[in-house]
Amino acid sequence: ATGHHHLVTGLDDKCIGVSDTDTKAGKPKDQAPMSFKECHHEDPLIRWTYLYGSQQLQMAEFPDLCMDFSETNDLMIAYKCKNDTGSRETQNQIAVFKDDLRSPIEEGLPTEIQHADGVGADWWLGRCLD
């Protein structure tokens, strides 16, 4: 895929993606958890596309999968990308980058990807990936 990004932690320069052990035939298994892995440019399991309109993180090599917060398991997973039809279906897939991307991340500061403020029970509001 072209035009992809890597999500790199500010603590140990690991990339966020799906572990090789959580794949079947090279594709993430259903609800595979996100993990921190060594950053290898050729690894399709750490490549992301940011969908600006819907604010979703989509797997570049597997465009049917997005990063999703699993309320059941209390962790980030690869899950079928959702379309918002007005009933907040995508609320667990919204990722808002709050920091100024032009400024460097301070040493030892965790990177926060937070979903947008909403109404009701926002299960992962304020939780960090690392």
Side-chain angles (χ1 to χ4, degrees):
T2 59
H4 63 270
H5 304 280
H6 295 110
L7 298 174
V8 183
T9 68
L11 296 176
D12 57 3
D13 294 327
K14 298 272 182 147
C15 281
I16 298 169
V18 175
S19 172
D20 296 331
T21 59
D22 289 315
T23 63
K24 183 175 182 178
K27 183 175 180 171
K29 293 178 184 174
D30 186 42
Q31 300 186 32
M34 291 295 120
S35 30
F36 301 111
K37 2 178 5 182
E38 293 297 323
C39 297
H40 297 289
H41 181 70
E42 65 279 356
D43 183 354
L45 300 171
I46 61 169
R47 295 179 184 169
W48 297 95
T49 301
Y50 186 65
L51 305 175
Y52 287 91
S54 60
Q55 297 178 313
Q56 291 166 293
L57 286 165
Q58 175 188 59
M59 295 195 82
E61 301 289 327
F62 312 100
D64 59 319
L65 297 175
C66 286
M67 190 181 293
D68 186 287
F69 178 71
S70 168
E71 296 172 10
T72 305
N73 299 314
D74 199 32
L75 52 85
M76 302 302 290
I77 61 172
Y79 194 79
K80 182 179 182 264
C81 294
K82 301 172 186 173
N83 293 316
D84 192 349
T85 61
S87 299
R88 300 185 52 163
E89 294 93 337
T90 61
Q91 74 177 0
N92 288 349
Q93 293 184 351
I94 295 174
V96 178
F97 295 90
K98 298 179 85 173
D99 201 326
D100 179 357
L101 298 178
R102 294 171 295 186
S103 63
I105 297 173
E106 294 178 31
E107 187 70 30
L109 181 69
T111 303
E112 180 177 351
I113 299 176
Q114 184 178 43
H115 88 87
D117 294 337
V119 181
D122 286 325
W123 293 101
W124 69 291
L125 183 62
R127 297 183 188 195
C128 293
L129 289 174
D130 60 351

